[in-house]
Amino acid sequence: MTVKHPRHPGSYAAFAHASSPGGQDLSQNEDALGDLPTWRLQDLYEARDSASFNTDLKKAAELAQAFETKWKGKLEQAAQASGSEGLGAAIEEFEALEDLAGKLGSFAGLTYFSDTSDPANGKFFGDVQSKLTELSSHLLFFTLELNRIEDAIIDRCLERDTKAAHYAPWLVDLRKDKPYQLEDRLEQLFLEKSMTSAAAFNRLFDETMSELRFEIDGEKLPLERTLNLLQEADEGVRARAAAALSKTFKDNLRVFTLITNTLAKDKEISDRWRGFEDIADSRHLANRVEREVVDALASAVREAYPRLSHRYYAMKAKWLGMEQMNFWDRNAPLPESPKALISWNQARQTVLDAYGNFAPEMADIARRFFDEQWIDAPARPGKAPGAFAHPTVPSAHPYVLVNYLGKPRDVMTLAHELGHGVHQVLAGGQGALMCQTPLTLAETASVFGEMLTFRALLNKTADSKERKAMLAQKVEDMINTVVRQIAFYEFERKVHAARRQGELTAEQIGQLWLSVQTDSLGPSIKISEGYETWWTYIPHFIHSPFYVYAYAFGDCLVNSLYAVYQNAEEGFQQKYFDLLKAGGSKHHSELLAPFGLDATDPGFWSKGLSMIEGLIDELEALEH
């Protein structure tokens, strides 16, 4: 769930893969997978109750109060001064506080997501978030007061104060929030109430999902392992897994419906007070992308449904010997798919080789995640599902979480999250205020890393059946990343629009879900009873409303970027690293210009989608 770092410190932020990799009974496969690493959170702090953590937490609170005393009400004066009394010095202090508080929040979040079933972890996470929110209330004035200073004064400050000039991209970016700022006391109320509103319901969702169990053949499995059974070759296993998922989701519909209604209303209240026009405008602002660009992307993908998902699933149904696939067959393996599990060492080497063939520096950075224990790989009870790369803060290093189960899709997930990790390491040089990349570009390195890994594997494959299975898997991943995520975006739009007319029943939400799924999946997928509840387990809807279109944005962008790479003579790698190192210091238009790409061009999205069509063409050609 890619979340842009909030403007107050200490909040948990993570990047996550769009499709949950699933899970399976690991007891039979531990030897085949090899030794799976767990992360070294001691690089941040030794333990929850360590002296260093408690000292830093106390220090952060004291520094925040001292910062408020020193600078509140004096920023316009500072903008006309220089040196230790100047605005640059104030921003420098603020950034140091962001880094310290972010480190504390990252440790609490990563500890919690290591085992969400441990009540001590939940209490620790909640207590730390509460203290960091209190700390943030002393810093809230800073950005609000900065945005009240006249542009002319800021412009003169940037010419005179070299420290302030360093933060010019951040200041320019910050002023985009100005039209939506509220009076200071209201902003403080929104901040403090977040702990008992959105944050509380986010935690309720996480802990509920962690505790759910799905009964299959007398065995009760957690979500990850049950989802993974949808990728099994045995149709009966897939059907039983789908039935178990549908039953447990239905049994818990009341709580998920309450969470969805509450968060949608909470967002509507915030949007209304801030003056956002469209239900997704706050996300577009956070992403620093124009609504028109996102609308063009969504429109292009919807128009391509027949050429992409409808066409592919018709082919797949034929390969599986079915007239129409059931919804639980969507991610079924082809008969030609390799059955053997891929060991962790094989996955590691596959990704590092692919990265190294593109640029040795990229592989060197990725290798550190393995060598220095920055990855948590085993799927275990209580661990957060799915996968993410968490940037922590520039003074530390990122961490990657995956639930590795040895499937080819898990290797792609590893390549994806390591792409995020490389991006986060490179962008860290921008500092705590400018390292966070907007979501529209946050998926660039991850999807590019997947593409490098896929192409490297495909180039080594001479067997036509294996090649067909690999191409099909890649097409499915791209459909999941582009078509499915835009369908998710359309579903969210419908839910949030309908919620403005009143509270929604579970049946109403289910009907909205089925309407977008029917449109996006097409006639070759049979939508039967039970699937109307499957909206319940998607974490993006809860943690980051309208997040999902960033995946489609990133995939189409990378398709275009990869086409440039294939035709480039020299210099592409350096331009690519410059893009990653920029972090959040530049708009997407500036970062894409060196590659001759423009996301505002109506043809841009068609170019990206045409690569998916090309792979489907190749699959079709293998049939003849």
Side-chain angles (χ1 to χ4, degrees):
M1 52 201 142
T2 298
V3 180
K4 190 182 178 188
H5 221 27
R7 292 209 177 278
H8 60 88
S11 296
Y12 181 78
F15 299 108
H17 197 25
S19 52
S20 295
Q24 64 190 45
D25 185 356
L26 289 179
S27 59
Q28 302 174 11
N29 300 318
E30 287 176 352
D31 292 341
L33 296 179
D35 292 331
L36 298 176
T38 56
W39 50 25
R40 258 187 60 89
L41 296 185
Q42 292 92 332
D43 290 356
L44 297 173
Y45 295 100
E46 285 297 319
R48 293 188 307 240
D49 57 353
S50 66
S52 59
F53 182 86
N54 289 323
T55 297
D56 274 1
L57 191 59
K58 182 181 178 183
K59 176 184 174 184
E62 291 171 350
L63 287 174
Q65 291 181 48
F67 182 85
E68 182 180 33
T69 300
K70 180 178 180 180
W71 295 106
K72 189 173 183 179
K74 303 168 187 174
L75 294 184
E76 185 169 338
Q77 180 183 339
Q80 299 173 71
S82 59
S84 61
E85 302 299 317
L87 187 59
I91 300 174
E92 202 170 53
E93 283 184 42
F94 180 74
E95 181 174 52
L97 266 167
E98 282 266 318
D99 193 280
L100 177 58
K103 181 181 177 185
L104 291 160
S106 295
F107 179 72
L110 294 172
T111 298
Y112 173 64
F113 284 108
S114 297
D115 185 0
T116 61
S117 65
D118 184 346
N121 282 348
K123 174 176 168 50
F124 176 64
F125 181 55
D127 287 348
V128 171
Q129 286 293 87
S130 180
K131 288 177 181 177
L132 291 176
T133 299
E134 183 181 341
L135 177 158
S136 298
S137 68
H138 293 289
L139 303 178
L140 185 62
F141 79 92
F142 189 66
T143 54
L144 301 175
E145 191 173 322
L146 273 176
N147 269 350
R148 287 198 296 269
I149 301 174
E150 292 181 13
D151 290 346
I153 294 175
I154 292 290
D155 291 342
R156 287 195 294 272
C157 172
L158 296 180
E159 291 173 4
R160 186 182 59 256
D161 186 340
T162 54
K163 280 188 177 179
H166 168 73
Y167 295 103
W170 179 74
L171 285 166
V172 170
D173 194 51
L174 182 68
R175 292 177 96 72
K176 293 176 182 175
D177 295 329
K178 187 174 181 176
Y180 308 100
Q181 280 185 191
L182 302 175
E183 185 268 324
D184 287 15
R185 284 179 61 79
L186 281 175
E187 289 286 1
Q188 185 154 353
L189 178 63
F190 267 64
L191 174 64
E192 293 185 15
K193 288 285 286 181
S194 68
M195 287 299 297
T196 54
S197 55
F201 281 89
N202 273 255
R203 181 173 166 187
L204 174 61
F205 174 85
D206 289 337
E207 295 187 3
T208 301
M209 290 306 306
S210 176
E211 292 297 319
L212 291 187
R213 292 297 179 266
F214 306 85
E215 187 168 350
I216 302 173
D217 299 333
E219 186 176 5
K220 293 183 178 181
L221 302 177
L223 177 65
E224 284 292 333
R225 297 185 181 186
T226 311
L227 286 172
N228 193 70
L229 295 176
L230 299 176
Q231 300 176 41
E232 288 296 314
D234 187 325
E235 184 182 351
V237 172
R238 298 197 301 271
R240 291 195 295 278
L245 288 161
S246 296
K247 181 183 184 304
T248 301
F249 292 154
K250 184 177 181 180
D251 290 345
N252 291 272
L253 265 181
R254 284 184 66 186
V255 68
F256 290 122
T257 302
L258 174 63
I259 291 170
T260 298
N261 272 292
T262 303
L263 289 175
K265 183 61 178 178
D266 185 75
K267 185 179 185 304
E268 185 274 326
I269 292 169
S270 177
D271 285 354
R272 175 161 38 87
W273 276 81
R274 295 188 182 282
F276 288 109
E277 293 179 7
D278 184 77
I279 51 180
D281 274 353
S282 58
R283 173 60 60 197
H284 302 332
L285 177 67
N287 288 349
R288 298 311 188 234
V289 64
E290 300 74 23
R291 187 199 305 171
E292 295 74 20
V293 172
V294 179
D295 288 347
L297 163 65
S299 177
V301 175
R302 285 196 307 270
E303 289 174 8
Y305 285 170
R307 307 194 307 274
L308 301 178
S309 49
H310 297 188
R311 179 184 172 205
Y312 173 75
Y313 289 134
M315 292 167 60
K316 184 169 183 177
K318 179 183 172 186
W319 297 334
L320 294 177
M322 302 175 177
E323 259 187 52
Q324 192 181 36
M325 290 189 290
N326 291 297
F327 70 83
W328 56 80
D329 299 320
R330 192 171 54 82
N331 288 320
L334 299 187
E336 298 90 341
S337 297
K339 303 296 189 295
L341 293 176
I342 302 165
S343 73
W344 178 253
N345 283 337
Q346 286 177 290
R348 175 186 186 275
Q349 203 55 50
T350 296
V351 176
L352 291 180
D353 285 349
Y355 278 24
N357 289 335
F358 172 72
E361 182 186 352
M362 192 170 172
D364 289 343
I365 296 171
R367 190 174 290 107
R368 295 187 66 191
F369 283 79
F370 296 97
D371 295 347
E372 300 180 36
Q373 290 182 256
W374 298 356
I375 303 179
D376 194 295
R380 57 179 180 270
K383 179 180 173 181
F388 63 71
H390 180 27
T392 73
V393 289
S395 64
H397 58 74
Y399 284 93
V400 160
L401 178 145
V402 294
N403 283 274
Y404 189 78
L405 299 162
K407 296 288 182 72
R409 191 171 261 131
D410 296 331
V411 180
M412 291 299 135
T413 298
L414 179 63
H416 180 104
E417 300 308 335
L418 283 172
H420 277 312
V422 169
H423 194 173
Q424 291 158 6
V425 169
L426 290 170
Q430 294 290 341
L433 296 182
M434 295 186 289
C435 67
Q436 294 292 329
T437 308
L439 289 185
T440 43
L441 290 169
E443 295 300 327
T444 304
S446 53
V447 179
F448 195 82
E450 272 191 271
M451 183 65 79
L452 289 172
T453 304
F454 166 71
R455 289 292 179 184
L457 288 172
L458 190 66
N459 290 340
K460 291 179 183 176
T461 305
D463 182 86
S464 61
K465 289 185 177 180
E466 281 189 34
R467 189 176 180 87
K468 175 184 173 182
M470 285 186 65
L471 282 167
Q473 182 71 74
K474 184 59 179 173
V475 168
E476 287 186 20
D477 285 346
M478 294 172 100
I479 287 173
N480 284 337
T481 304
V482 177
V483 171
R484 189 163 171 79
Q485 301 306 315
I486 291 301
F488 283 176
Y489 176 62
E490 297 298 328
F491 167 70
E492 283 191 278
R493 291 194 63 87
K494 290 186 175 188
V495 167
H496 283 261
R499 180 64 179 90
R500 292 190 172 189
Q501 308 306 312
E503 189 157 317
L504 302 174
T505 65
E507 290 74 21
Q508 287 174 311
I509 300 173
Q511 287 305 309
L512 295 176
W513 170 257
L514 291 180
S515 70
V516 299
Q517 293 302 313
T518 300
D519 288 346
S520 63
L521 296 176
S524 295
I525 301 284
K526 182 181 180 182
I527 305 294
S528 52
E529 185 178 353
Y531 194 55
E532 71 278 358
T533 64
W534 283 44
W535 55 271
T536 55
Y537 83 97
I538 310 296
H540 303 75
F541 301 155
I542 304 303
H543 292 292
S544 312
F546 305 110
Y547 168 92
V548 288
Y549 72 72
Y551 286 114
F553 193 113
D555 197 276
C556 289
L557 187 157
V558 166
N559 288 343
S560 297
L561 198 61
Y562 198 84
V564 174
Y565 166 55
Q566 287 180 307
N567 297 317
E569 295 179 2
E570 288 183 6
F572 180 91
Q573 283 85 344
Q574 187 55 54
K575 291 178 185 176
Y576 180 72
F577 279 110
D578 288 344
L579 182 153
L580 301 187
K581 289 175 181 176
S585 66
K586 293 182 179 179
H587 189 261
H588 65 78
S589 58
E590 291 180 81
L591 292 171
L592 295 180
F595 303 96
L597 300 174
D598 179 4
T600 64
D601 178 355
F604 176 79
W605 303 116
S606 298
K607 187 185 300 183
L609 294 170
S610 67
M611 179 173 282
I612 308 176
E613 285 188 75
L615 292 176
I616 298 174
D617 288 343
E618 193 172 343
L619 273 171
E620 200 167 52
L622 288 173
E623 293 294 288
H624 304 293

